[in-house]
Amino acid sequence: MLIAATGALCAEHGAPILYRGPFETMLPRMAQDGFRGVELHLLDSAEIDRPALWRLLGENGLRLTSIGTGSAYGARGYNLVDRDEAVRRRTIRHLEEHMVTLEPSHGIVIVGLIAGRARDCGAPPDVQAERLAQSLRELDALAGKHGVRVGLEMMNAYECDFLHTIDEGAAFLRYVGGLTHTCLHIDTVSMNIGETDIGAAIRRGAGLIGHVHVADNDRWYPGHGHYDFRETLAALRDIGYNGALALEEKMLPDSGTAGRRSLRYLGAMMEAVGI
Ligand code: LER
Ligand code: MN
């Protein structure tokens, strides 16, 4: 399991993104703090200098595990269930740009907030489900073309209105049917809110879980609060999970301290459960 730091060109102070700044200063800081993986949260992949990013990743020994896409939902209203088909089409084209950025590392494009909500859809839940299913079928085909994967994130009920638990995600993937480049993406903060038994839920998700967001229950670095990382890591070990643990956590008390403490704490927990 590769522990990845989250990073963004800019983000609100309280947002759960660990490092911020231009690639040429942010990526070396991550590497110096001990990271070998990075999850970038990008507003628009078409606006970045991809060759420069790929060069800097290589120079700093970092693998781009994943791209977080939620900022385009907030800033531009992009989503996959919108009542306006033109918005849905624009969102799929937008996510394909992230797939191009992820081609060299065969990483994961996250579909979390950008999945959209009932208020974007303006129709009953079955229509919302079918629109998301149709959008995911298209994204899945594009992911195959670009050699990447889509990670459908299960988020808690305070942040989204559809697909909160691993069981719900698994049932939805069965409903969509035939996806070959789409996985479930889980998040410790949301599991802490929505799952009844986190270890058992992860074990039932064997074979489907492809990406993991990690933070303590208070969204600080692992070890700051009371989330049971040992239980989660043991369950991930049992299902043979070999993807990333991406630190979607606050930069508190500062990026470097939080990053280094996360690596130390998760490293010790992984060793304790025999990973
Ligand atoms: C997105 O990855 C997520 O987990 C939400 O909580 C948005 O912050
Ligand atoms: Mn998350």
Side-chain angles (χ1 to χ4, degrees), residues 16 41 110 113 153 155-156 159 185 187 190 213 219 248:
H41 286 236
I110 295 172
L113 296 173
E153 183 168 14
M155 287 185 300
N156 66 79
E159 296 186 276
H185 163 189
D187 183 319
S190 285
H213 271 167
R219 280 266 193 217
E248 194 184 41

Side-chain angles (χ1 to χ4, degrees), residues 87-165:
V87 172
R88 303 201 299 272
R89 299 246 61 79
R90 214 174 293 140
T91 306
I92 289 170
R93 274 202 305 278
H94 169 84
L95 291 172
E96 188 179 10
E97 290 290 341
H98 289 317
M99 292 180 185
V100 175
T101 306
L102 285 161
E103 274 178 9
S105 62
H106 308 295
I108 290 187
V109 178
I110 295 172
V111 170
L113 296 173
I114 207 161
R117 301 181 197 190
R119 66 168 185 243
D120 306 306
C121 179
D126 58 321
V127 177
Q128 182 180 358
E130 186 43 41
R131 281 199 196 140
L132 182 58
Q134 188 49 41
S135 294
L136 284 176
R137 288 180 194 113
E138 290 187 39
L139 286 170
D140 189 82
L142 290 170
K145 184 177 123 194
H146 292 284
V148 303
R149 282 188 299 159
V150 173
L152 179 61
E153 183 168 14
M154 304 299 99
M155 287 185 300
N156 66 79
Y158 302 102
E159 296 186 276
C160 77
D161 56 16
F162 186 47
L163 303 181
H164 303 127
T165 65

Side-chain angles (χ1 to χ4, degrees), residues 196-239:
T196 307
D197 179 333
I198 293 174
I202 291 173
R203 289 184 179 89
R204 287 196 300 276
L208 297 176
I209 296 170
H211 194 57
V212 183
H213 271 167
V214 172
D216 217 317
N217 64 289
D218 53 3
R219 280 266 193 217
W220 281 57
Y221 55 83
H224 184 263
H226 60 75
Y227 185 85
D228 186 350
F229 286 96
R230 189 184 285 253
E231 178 196 36
T232 291
L233 290 170
L236 290 171
R237 173 203 62 203
D238 290 350
I239 64 168

Side-chain angles (χ1 to χ4, degrees), residues 62-77:
L62 290 164
R63 193 167 88 78
L64 182 60
T65 59
S66 36
I67 293 182
T69 61
S71 57
Y73 178 64
R76 298 183 181 173

